[in-house]
Amino acid sequence: MSDLSLAPAAATVAPLPAEPPAAVPRHVALVMDGNGRWARQRFMPRFFGHKQGVDALVRAVNVFADRGVQYLTVFAFSSENWKRPSEEVSGLMSLVLVAVSKYLTKLAGDGVRIRIVGDRSAVSEKLRKAWEHAEQLTKDNHRITLSVAFNYGGRWDVVQACRRAVAEGLRPEQIDEAWLASHMALSFAPDPDLFIRTGGEMRISNFLLWQAAYSELFFTECLWPDFGAAEIDAALLAYAQRDRRFGTIRPNQVMPEGI
Ligand code: FPP
């Protein structure tokens, strides 16, 4: 007899939020795009744009925290960014090191908990140590959690969770959405409510593919170094006006019986 049953598999799904969505997102995901164009508009090298981008990030973390956002996850370096010219890649690597030494004390004092998510195996020992230090120093902070996605890709994240399932010897029926979600890189955070991308492109670019399943998307032409309090408030206002249904319908949309 064929095993092709039409009955859906009885998989456990990751729980959706029990409470109605709040007006302020708990978790914001951010693609900080447009540094290169921002620099070019000023006849400056791309690196100058990235440098300004770090300053914009430090400002933005505090604005998001002031507005009540508890988790901010930023795409600092994607799995695909290695394909950029080698001088830009090494410039970004050293910029992160400089940024940690320049801003860590301030961010720690501002109550920011720092987490790094992504594949650490390909980065230098020096950078790994700097991240471990930043995570350790800020681990007890609670105002906002800043997760820096570095050498991160949404597909990498799914693959690494699957590899862990195999390494742990799980049987197929033991793997479900809840198990995978708890083994993804951002398992310590709720899924992002709001996904913002600056710089005018309207795509997700392999960021948080799993976690952004029900995120509200907000795209803006604003180039990342210019993304300040006014732009953040515009994004938060747009979010507050969205109608989030997580695949369900509102009770008043249910058809009368027989229709
Ligand atoms: C995209 O702009 C931006 C990046 C690839 C890097 C973003 C990184 C930072 C802002 C630095 C983060 C640093 C720390 C310490 C977290 P782009 O170069 O693609 O700009 P373009 O689209 O205008 O060329």
Side-chain angles (χ1 to χ4, degrees):
M1 182 162 155
S2 160
D3 198 24
L4 289 174
S5 163
L6 289 178
T12 312
V13 296
L16 290 172
E19 313 235 325
V24 177
R26 271 181 84 194
H27 184 176
V28 174
L30 194 47
V31 178
M32 308 177 288
D33 199 10
N35 295 340
R37 280 164 285 164
W38 188 93
R40 201 166 58 233
Q41 285 171 0
R42 287 156 182 80
F43 307 102
M44 297 294 280
R46 293 176 57 80
F47 182 73
F48 182 66
H50 292 315
K51 218 159 149 285
Q52 296 296 317
V54 174
D55 295 344
L57 173 59
V58 173
R59 290 192 300 269
V61 176
N62 274 295
V63 176
F64 277 113
D66 284 346
R67 303 299 186 263
V69 171
Q70 295 165 40
Y71 296 88
L72 178 67
T73 302
V74 299
F75 210 4
F77 192 88
S78 77
S79 313
E80 291 73 32
N81 284 156
W82 295 106
K83 296 176 200 150
R84 291 190 175 208
S86 60
E87 59 278 16
E88 180 163 348
V89 171
S90 54
L92 278 166
M93 296 293 160
S94 40
L95 180 63
V96 178
L97 266 175
V98 170
V100 172
S101 66
K102 184 173 172 192
Y103 287 116
L104 181 57
T105 313
K106 176 182 162 35
L107 289 169
D110 288 343
V112 179
R113 178 170 72 140
I114 297 173
R115 301 289 300 254
I116 312 296
V117 293
D119 181 0
R120 300 185 189 209
S121 65
V123 304
S124 70
E125 174 80 9
K126 211 170 165 187
L127 194 46
R128 267 202 301 273
K129 287 250 152 57
W131 284 337
E132 282 162 19
H133 174 58
E135 288 181 322
Q136 183 62 23
L137 187 77
T138 62
K139 68 179 174 20
D140 296 323
N141 284 347
H142 294 297
R143 183 162 160 253
I144 188 169
T145 297
L146 169 66
S147 301
V148 179
F150 201 95
N151 196 19
Y152 175 89
R155 290 177 176 178
W156 165 84
D157 203 358
V158 175
V159 168
Q160 66 81 25
C162 292
R163 284 183 174 170
R164 285 164 70 179
V166 173
E168 290 180 25
L170 263 67
R171 292 188 308 279
E173 63 275 19
Q174 290 177 290
I175 302 172
D176 55 25
E177 291 186 22
W179 190 92
L180 274 177
S182 67
H183 289 75
M184 307 285 286
L186 276 180
S187 58
F188 55 87
D191 284 346
D193 303 292
L194 174 62
F195 183 116
I196 300 174
R197 181 177 186 141
T198 64
E201 309 288 0
M202 288 194 256
R203 53 179 171 258
I204 291 175
S205 296
N206 198 18
F207 190 37
L208 303 180
L209 295 182
W210 173 279
Q211 299 86 343
Y214 283 100
S215 300
E216 295 296 326
L217 306 179
F218 182 86
F219 300 105
T220 170
E221 292 290 326
C222 181
L223 302 178
W224 172 249
D226 289 331
F227 194 75
E231 290 73 24
I232 291 172
D233 285 338
L236 294 179
L237 179 64
Y239 172 81
Q241 292 166 343
R242 301 279 174 92
D243 178 18
R244 303 189 76 195
R245 295 193 298 277
F246 299 98
T248 68
I249 55 173
R250 285 191 299 274
N252 64 4
Q253 285 184 314
V254 178
M255 296 286 189
E257 238 174 271
I259 297 184

